[in-house]
Amino acid sequence: MRVKNLLNLTGDTLHTLPLLVLYITDGCNSRCVTCDIWHNPRRNMPLALAESIAETCAELGVRWVLISGGEAMQHPEWDTIAQMFAQHDVHVMLLTNGLLLKKQYQRVIDSVDELIVSLDGGTVETYEAIRGVDAFDLILEGMTQIAQAGIPVTTRTTVQQSNFREIPQLIDTAVAHGVSTVSFLAVDVNSSEAFGSRDDSMMTGALTLSEADELQQVIEALEQSHASYFANGTIAESPQKLQNNLTEYFRYLHGAGTYQSPRCNAPHFSTVIEVDGRLRPCYFLPVYGRLQPEGERLPQAINWDVARDLRRAYRTGQRAECKTCVCPLYKGPRGLMRM
């Protein structure tokens, strides 16, 4: 099946689906300033839909599933869904804001192989200002418990005006609480597809040009002070990648700098399934269809004509949103062989 993954790179038809991203709820218990999802009434993915997807894992060669939302842990049966995929020998990753980690500790360690926590501040005050809830210490305690149970923990930080100066402190805090990997991406201020139906007042957080200069200095200092963390992979991105994906990205938004558009082929080895069965090539590209209870199954749906057209469009540079994507994912032939 891993050799078959390579066929995905020969055109716009998917022969396998190594990575599946599952949004099992669209409600959230955070109140983030750059996201509108938490305003929506919460809907949960029906277990029957999740089960029908899990049953196609062997046929599609699914190796990883990322369970997310909204806030995935608000789904009352999120762990049942996770275990459905585990039964098909799939590596289960849970992406969470961490608010329920302590309360649902046992469910986490019984159901997932890897934990990814959104951590957007290095201090109590900054975290609350960005996420809208006073939960910094609670999340750190939860991550520590999960890490001590042997589950690898990664943090993802969305870098923005309120927190870029705290990057070193955020790294040190995360590592001190058992985190094995820290990762950074820029705040998205462009997407009309992700993070709910945001109005202009919510599309904030991008650094000014002078702040981008300051961020460059932060990363340069980090390269010296945290050299061992770059060397051993604790910091997922290299200094050069951080400078491009963060500093040069923010400069590019102001028409300056030498930003390199991200390399990404995620729609050629993964797909996103939303709470109601809607399908996307990735989180930032439009919906191309929906799984229906009595309709075609996932292996057929991912190769509908409109799905192939979207993959062809991004691959040939016709999708403008891909040029400033804040969360690219690329796998070459070797990478796909390892999936």
Side-chain angles (χ1 to χ4, degrees):
M1 184 62 77
R2 295 186 183 185
V3 174
K4 196 175 179 181
N5 292 345
L6 298 179
L7 295 176
N8 290 357
L9 301 181
T10 64
D12 299 304
T13 296
L14 296 187
H15 300 269
T16 62
L17 195 64
L19 172 62
L20 184 60
V21 182
L22 210 62
Y23 290 99
I24 63 171
T25 183
D26 54 9
C28 189
N29 49 0
S30 287
R31 300 292 184 266
C32 298
V33 296
T34 56
C35 176
D36 201 21
I37 290 174
W38 55 272
H39 284 286
N40 300 332
R42 177 153 55 95
R43 299 175 302 166
N44 294 324
M45 177 177 284
L47 287 181
L49 175 58
E51 186 174 14
S52 70
I53 296 167
E55 288 173 348
T56 66
C57 285
E59 181 179 351
L60 285 169
V62 177
R63 301 297 304 279
W64 285 273
V65 63
L66 176 65
I67 295 178
S68 183
E71 172 45 47
M73 295 180 73
Q74 282 196 302
H75 192 301
E77 297 179 281
W78 73 264
D79 51 337
T80 300
I81 294 174
Q83 290 164 15
M84 286 179 184
F85 287 89
Q87 290 170 3
H88 292 277
D89 198 27
V90 173
H91 182 92
V92 178
M93 300 173 288
L94 174 65
L95 175 59
T96 175
N97 60 27
L99 295 181
L100 295 173
L101 285 177
K102 284 193 66 177
K103 184 176 181 179
Q104 299 188 23
Y105 162 81
Q106 194 62 47
R107 296 172 69 182
V108 173
I109 64 173
D110 288 345
S111 307
V112 307
D113 299 297
E114 185 176 343
L115 181 69
I116 305 169
V117 180
S118 298
L119 187 66
D120 287 340
T123 64
V124 171
E125 295 76 16
T126 300
Y127 182 90
E128 184 174 1
I130 293 172
R131 307 291 292 193
V133 291
D134 180 8
F136 184 69
D137 292 333
L138 176 68
I139 292 166
L140 295 182
E141 291 171 14
M143 291 194 308
T144 301
Q145 285 185 307
I146 301 301
Q148 289 175 345
I151 305 294
V153 180
T154 294
T155 57
R156 298 290 311 270
T157 297
T158 301
V159 176
Q160 51 198 285
Q161 283 181 313
S162 299
N163 66 7
F164 76 93
R165 297 179 182 90
E166 295 182 2
I167 288 176
Q169 182 176 356
L170 197 149
I171 295 169
D172 293 339
T173 299
V175 172
H177 288 83
V179 171
S180 55
T181 308
V182 294
S183 180
F184 299 91
L185 70 161
V187 62
D188 173 73
V189 295
N190 292 318
S191 176
S192 60
E193 296 288 339
F195 309 113
S197 302
R198 298 179 294 174
D199 58 36
D200 290 340
S201 67
M202 285 189 160
M203 299 179 74
T204 60
L207 275 62
T208 65
L209 280 174
S210 61
E211 288 171 335
D213 291 341
E214 189 176 350
L215 174 59
Q216 178 178 341
Q217 296 172 4
V218 170
I219 296 172
E220 288 174 350
L222 192 70
E223 187 173 4
Q224 300 301 316
S225 62
H226 291 68
S228 62
Y229 285 173
F230 284 112
N232 64 19
T234 298
I235 302 175
E237 298 82 12
S238 67
Q240 295 74 26
K241 191 171 184 179
L242 286 179
Q243 292 287 15
N244 183 74
N245 292 1
L246 300 177
T247 306
E248 297 302 334
Y249 169 80
F250 289 122
R251 287 173 175 157
Y252 177 81
L253 294 180
H254 295 284
T258 56
Y259 175 68
Q260 296 180 358
S261 294
R263 193 179 190 188
C264 179
N265 62 353
H268 273 78
F269 60 84
S270 65
T271 200
V272 172
I273 305 179
E274 297 189 356
V275 62
D276 58 358
R278 289 185 298 171
L279 298 162
R280 297 179 183 269
C282 76
Y283 196 28
F284 296 93
L285 291 176
V287 170
Y288 64 79
R290 181 180 175 184
L291 294 173
Q292 301 288 348
E294 304 300 327
E296 290 184 285
R297 299 163 66 246
L298 184 60
Q300 291 73 47
I302 58 175
N303 286 315
W304 286 335
D305 288 345
V306 65
R308 293 201 304 271
D309 288 345
L310 273 171
R311 286 194 286 271
R312 185 177 304 110
Y314 97 84
R315 178 176 56 81
T316 56
Q318 299 176 49
R319 298 298 310 192
E321 57 266 70
C322 295
K323 296 178 182 178
T324 55
C325 178
V326 299
C327 192
L329 183 61
Y330 177 81
K331 296 290 182 182
R334 291 184 180 180
L336 284 177
M337 284 289 289
R338 290 193 294 266
M339 294 189 79

